[in-house]
Amino acid sequence: MISAPNDPVAASADALRQRLGTRAPKIAVLLGSGWGPFAQQLRDVVDVPYADLPAFPALGQGVSGHVGLLRAGRLGAVDVVVLAGRQHAYETGQPDGMKGAIRTLAAIGVEVLVQTNAAGGMAPALQPGELMLMSDHLNVVQRSPLVGEAGDDRFVDMSNAYCPRLRAQAQAAAQAVGTPLHEGVYAWVLGPQFETPAEIRMLRTLGAQAVGMSTVPETIVARHAGLRVLALSLITNMAAGMSTETLSHAHTLATAHAASERAVRMLVAVVQALEI
Ligand code: HPA
């Protein structure tokens, strides 16, 4: 493909290739709240701030708990690239904040995007601290990062948005390290406010088990770019109206922090078990 002059994705891919040298990661891991310590598990790391990559978002508005750093390194024998920090649609009103970043990953040869997030639990089994593999999602917001794209490939088939084969490998890896991994449907809401109890009743009725403010736009971009996707939710709270606690970002981060060791241990096992 011939890229347009000043194409930020091509420029970011060139810059990244230079920084990564002989590394050729096929797996990218996008870290959400609570999953940050995963980046410390990598060895032989190269760090590239998003600010050095023109297709990547500026995360200046400071959502506490979210940074803007790409880290390439090795997890055991596996070459991995980690994205610490995403731009959320609730920051800008636009769902395409991570579009350039994900297309850059595809351009350097990444084939699998492993996403992580914090989410509210809407099923009795999904208590704070539990982990859920996303089997599917509900795009409740009904916004797409592909609006305005040209070409027939914008009509992306979303019927296996979260790769069944990778999900089976993830389940086997979680079982091997003894961590229960629930499976369920994630509903994407815009935020930044939390939901009302009536909205949570609606989402449960629609068939979702977890609710959060991220991940779905990135999955859409990744599927359009030909990547396979796996996504893991760390449940940080029972959703609105399902417990007596008051929801807050500080509470989400505190629970995520407390549960993060187990989550990261499982993620390390999962990433190493993926067959690309
Ligand atoms: N709702 C939406 N997003 C979230 C929640 C929630 O309850 N918990 C963590 N992210």
Side-chain angles (χ1 to χ4, degrees):
M1 193 166 71
I2 298 169
S3 54
N6 308 319
D7 174 357
V9 169
S12 300
D14 284 346
L16 252 189
R17 270 189 221 100
Q18 254 172 38
R19 301 288 285 273
L20 298 193
T22 57
R23 297 153 200 275
K26 298 220 174 301
I27 302 178
V29 183
L30 177 48
L31 299 178
S33 302
W35 298 87
F38 176 81
Q40 290 149 30
Q41 303 291 318
L42 267 55
R43 297 287 167 262
D44 306 326
V45 301
V46 176
D47 284 344
V48 185
Y50 287 5
D52 292 354
L53 301 167
F56 280 55
L59 300 185
Q61 294 186 26
V63 184
S64 52
H66 299 120
V67 290
L69 185 74
L70 178 150
R71 168 171 286 181
R74 283 199 187 82
L75 193 67
V78 187
D79 263 336
V80 177
V81 56
V82 167
L83 301 192
R86 46 155 86 78
Q87 187 173 68
H88 299 82
Y90 62 70
E91 294 171 71
T92 61
Q94 301 305 322
D96 61 353
M98 296 304 289
K99 184 157 85 172
I102 291 166
R103 288 180 177 174
T104 301
L105 296 175
I108 66 159
V110 166
E111 295 177 11
V112 169
L113 177 64
V114 179
Q115 295 214 61
T116 62
N117 61 47
M122 299 193 291
L126 291 173
Q127 297 289 323
E130 293 296 317
L131 296 160
M132 188 190 91
L133 184 61
M134 286 170 59
S135 58
D136 206 343
H137 73 226
L138 285 178
N139 181 350
V140 181
V141 181
Q142 280 298 296
R143 299 284 307 277
S144 171
L146 302 181
V147 167
E149 288 295 325
D152 283 356
D153 66 355
R154 77 185 110 165
F155 302 106
V156 181
D157 178 7
M158 295 295 287
S159 38
N160 280 315
Y162 302 92
C163 176
R165 221 152 42 83
L166 294 180
R167 277 159 48 202
Q169 292 161 13
Q171 280 293 6
Q175 204 165 36
V177 294
T179 307
L181 185 54
H182 303 276
E183 229 172 293
V185 174
Y186 172 103
W188 173 43
V189 293
L190 182 61
Q193 76 287 347
F194 287 103
E195 302 69 46
T196 63
E199 286 166 344
I200 293 302
R201 286 195 296 276
M202 172 187 78
L203 296 175
R204 294 179 70 182
T205 304
L206 293 177
Q209 283 80 44
V211 56
M213 304 175 192
S214 70
T215 306
V216 167
E218 293 87 348
T219 296
I220 295 169
V221 171
R223 295 300 294 142
H224 180 248
L227 304 187
R228 286 179 290 149
V229 179
L230 186 75
L232 295 156
S233 297
L234 169 55
I235 305 299
T236 52
N237 55 281
M238 293 307 289
M242 295 189 63
S243 84
T244 51
E245 75 193 6
T246 306
L247 300 182
S248 71
H249 189 56
H251 180 270
T252 296
L253 288 184
T255 314
H257 186 71
S260 119
E261 196 181 309
R262 194 169 78 115
V264 165
R265 214 177 320 121
M266 190 214 42
L267 182 57
V268 166
V270 165
V271 170
Q272 289 185 288
L274 297 181
E275 292 163 25
I276 306 305

